[in-house]
Every structure is written in structure tokens, then in C-alpha cells.
Amino acid sequence: MVREKIRVSTRTLQWKCVESRTDSKCLYYGRFILSPLLKGQADTIGIAMRRALLGEMEGTFITRAKSEKIPHEYSTIVGIKESVHDILMNLKEIILRSNLYGTCEASICVRGPRCVTAQDIILPPYVEIVDNTQHIASLTEPIDLCIGLQLERNRGYHIKAPNNFQDGSYPIDALFMPVRNVNHSIHSYGNGNEKHEILFLEIWTNGSLTPKEALYEASRNLIDLLIPFLHAEEDNFNLADNQKKVSLPLLTFQDRLTQLRKKNKNIVLKSIFIDQLELPPRIYNCLKKSNIHTLADLLNNSQEDLIKMEHFDIDDVKKILDTLEKHF
């Protein structure tokens, strides 16, 4: 068990990690406190953090398996102890840690007789397995087992669509939730007008990130969701002129690019990555999730395409245009 004290001060507020332990490779526990809070604030923060930790966090899981030698999901293969369905369920339990955006490919290719575990999965360098001992299948005869896998990073719970089996490809239900459980409780102290509260937050994760990392990421996600409200006063939203307020910039990306090229004719779009543009974290993450990695990828999308992206709006497009002018 690890006990660690961490303090971040915002005026008089302090938060601490009072308990941290690893119950197993796939189960981490952390207990945190935030104080002093005014009456009612602990409940407000506790409910919001619980929903953010359980609903807004992203995880990486296997979402599809493919093998041309498998006739259907409920078949059995000579020389393999488990049925195909059991193998798919075992793949569903594999816990991965990654900075993946979107999807990528992995594979298993082994020869029996032997026990196949998570360690036998051939992964991209930016993906790692939390517990290499997780069981996949038992080969009882000298046969080859080759399975192609699709990995995906997302959030929430995705259920495979029925009758969606094509060319030996089988979708797998994915629980993209690295946080297994969250509890919050409140302790009140003081008398009369001096009454204050302490928020206790307990977090269990699946090992792909620590409770402290989950707390940090959930807090950032909450901040990103609330940032638009900070501009409500300056935007002066009004139903009558709302359409005038939300209007696209006059120049498209392509028009702006033409202007930029006149200033710098040596710009090589494919060699400039969006990491170099110093974009705000939320905009950067949205672009990465849409597989936009270079300046060329970015400029191949129209303004309308970008606005259709999740958590993206017209202000973000303007920030990107301003950033391009700043750098070029």
C-alpha cells in the first residue's frame, strides 16, 4: 500500500491522495479528499466528477477479430480447447494501455500445442498490455492459430451489431471504460455559519491508468466541456441574432492556404505535424481522434467537415486559422 500526500492550492482549497494501492494488475484503487468546501459544494463536485470519471473517460480495447478459417462465431476448431465464442470473450477481457487515436491493427500468430495468452499479441509500439498473463486459448495439437485484431480507443460501451459478420471478421463488444467504479462521500464539520465540508472520492481503475491519472483526465474533460460558458457574456448570445453570431469565416482553409503560400513558398504540408502548431489541448485531441495528423490532413478538410466533428465548433476553426497565420 502506498500513502502519498499531494497538494494543489487554489486559494484555500487543498486536495490530497490519502490512499493508493494496487489490488491486482487490473485493479487499482485510490482515495482522495478535497477541502475545505462550503455547504453544498462537495455534492456538486462529487456528482460531476463521478459522471465524468465513468462516462467521459476513454479506453483502448479489441473491437474485432478476423480469421478466414472460422466458419461462424459458435463453431469449434479441432486442436483448440475453447470454442470460437470463448476465444472472443477472452479477447474482450484484454486490458490495453495506449495513446491511440481512432483504430489500429494487431495480430496473433502461434503454433501449438501451447497456451495462448495476451503476451502473444503482436502490437504497435504505442500500445501495451496491462496483464500479459490473461488467457486467450489452449492449443492441444500442433496447429497454427492466426487471428487479426482491430484495436480502438473510444468511450462508453459499444455493443456489436447483430449479423455483422463478414469475411471471417467478428465484432466484439467493447467496454471503453478504464474506471470501474467511483464512490463519493461528504464529511461536514464546524458550527453555524462556519460549517464546511470535506469531499471524499474513491476511484477504482482497470490498470490502464492510475486513479490519480483518471482524476486528472476527468477534471480536464469537465473543464473542456464548461469552457464555452466562460465566453457566454462576451458572445452576448441572443435568440434574435444567434444566427448572425454563429457564421463561418469568409475565407476557407484553401483560400487562407493560398495566401500563406505567397508568403512562404517552401511550406511542405506533409512534413508539418499538428503537434508543432501548439494548438489548445482540446482542439489537438479532436483532430487526432479524426485521424488528422499533419497540416496536409488538416487542410484537406473543409470548415464544415471540422465543425461536424464531436466537441468542435466555429470558434475552434477560427483558432486554427489564427494559429496558421501566426506560424506561417
Side-chain angles (χ1 to χ4, degrees):
M1 182 182 298
V2 178
R3 293 183 180 273
E4 183 179 356
K5 291 186 177 180
I6 302 169
R7 183 173 69 180
V8 175
S9 176
T10 305
R11 296 181 181 177
T12 57
L13 281 181
Q14 297 180 351
W15 74 272
K16 296 179 182 178
C17 176
V18 295
E19 185 177 353
S20 176
R21 68 171 186 260
T22 302
D23 295 332
S24 68
K25 290 183 179 179
C26 297
L27 184 59
Y28 288 17
Y29 171 80
R31 188 165 181 254
F32 308 87
I33 62 172
L34 178 66
S35 68
L37 296 166
L38 298 177
K39 185 178 180 180
Q41 289 182 339
D43 206 28
T44 300
I45 298 174
I47 292 173
M49 287 303 301
R50 186 176 189 275
R51 292 184 66 89
L53 284 161
L54 293 175
E56 298 296 326
M57 303 291 292
E58 293 187 343
T60 303
F61 285 86
I62 299 171
T63 56
R64 187 173 291 273
K66 182 177 182 179
S67 178
E68 297 178 354
K69 297 181 179 180
I70 300 176
H72 59 83
E73 182 181 3
Y74 298 98
S75 62
T76 58
I77 301 175
V78 176
I80 301 180
K81 182 179 179 180
E82 293 83 1
S83 67
V84 174
H85 177 75
D86 291 335
I87 294 175
L88 294 177
M89 291 301 99
N90 291 336
L91 291 172
K92 177 181 175 180
E93 300 298 323
I94 303 294
I95 306 297
L96 303 171
R97 182 189 294 116
S98 79
N99 294 319
L100 170 69
Y101 291 94
T103 62
C104 71
E105 304 298 323
S107 64
I108 300 173
C109 193
V110 296
R111 183 171 180 80
R114 57 170 297 178
C115 181
V116 183
T117 64
Q119 188 174 5
D120 296 307
I121 301 177
I122 303 172
L123 295 167
Y126 46 83
V127 181
E128 60 180 292
I129 297 170
V130 172
D131 184 3
N132 285 325
T133 65
Q134 287 182 277
H135 181 75
I136 296 176
S138 298
L139 307 186
T140 58
E141 297 183 13
I143 63 170
D144 293 323
L145 176 64
C146 294
I147 304 175
L149 303 174
Q150 175 182 279
L151 313 182
E152 181 179 348
R153 183 177 177 87
N154 213 318
R155 64 187 180 93
Y157 182 56
H158 289 199
I159 302 176
K160 63 184 180 183
N163 302 322
N164 189 21
F165 308 102
Q166 300 176 354
D167 302 327
S169 180
Y170 300 90
I172 301 174
D173 294 341
L175 183 64
F176 298 105
M177 296 171 63
V179 178
R180 291 189 171 185
N181 192 22
V182 180
N183 285 336
H184 83 276
S185 56
I186 302 168
H187 172 71
S188 300
Y189 65 95
N191 296 315
N193 295 331
E194 297 298 325
K195 199 167 187 179
H196 290 86
E197 296 177 339
I198 301 176
L199 173 65
F200 290 83
L201 201 62
E202 295 180 288
I203 303 173
W204 289 264
T205 68
N206 65 1
S208 61
L209 75 174
T210 65
K212 191 197 305 182
E213 292 171 336
L215 185 64
Y216 175 81
E217 188 174 332
S219 301
R220 290 300 302 268
N221 289 340
L222 270 180
I223 292 172
D224 288 343
L225 289 173
L226 296 174
I227 280 177
F229 292 109
L230 297 178
H231 305 292
E233 185 175 351
E234 62 187 57
D235 289 343
N236 193 23
F237 283 112
N238 188 302
L239 291 177
D241 60 0
N242 189 45
Q243 292 183 343
K244 297 180 181 179
K245 292 288 182 181
V246 184
S247 58
L248 290 174
L250 295 176
L251 294 177
T252 64
F253 271 99
Q254 288 71 24
D255 295 331
R256 189 66 60 90
L257 176 61
T258 301
Q259 293 184 358
L260 295 174
R261 276 175 171 164
K262 290 179 180 178
K263 298 178 182 178
N264 190 341
K265 297 181 180 180
N266 297 322
I267 294 179
V268 182
L269 302 181
K270 291 184 179 180
S271 65
I272 300 177
F273 292 85
I274 62 172
D275 311 61
Q276 302 170 251
L277 300 181
E278 299 179 359
L279 294 167
R282 186 176 62 80
I283 296 178
Y284 172 81
N285 289 333
C286 287
L287 294 176
K288 281 287 190 177
K289 290 176 185 177
S290 300
N291 291 320
I292 297 175
H293 305 290
T294 65
L295 188 56
D297 298 334
L298 178 61
L299 297 171
N300 283 335
N301 288 269
S302 66
Q303 297 169 7
E304 291 78 7
D305 293 334
L306 293 176
I307 294 174
K308 290 178 182 178
M309 290 164 47
E310 188 176 6
H311 305 310
F312 217 83
D313 55 35
I314 185 62
D315 289 333
D316 298 326
V317 175
K318 292 178 180 177
K319 287 180 182 177
I320 291 176
L321 291 174
D322 292 340
T323 301
L324 290 177
E325 284 190 333
K326 175 183 175 182
H327 282 269
F328 306 108

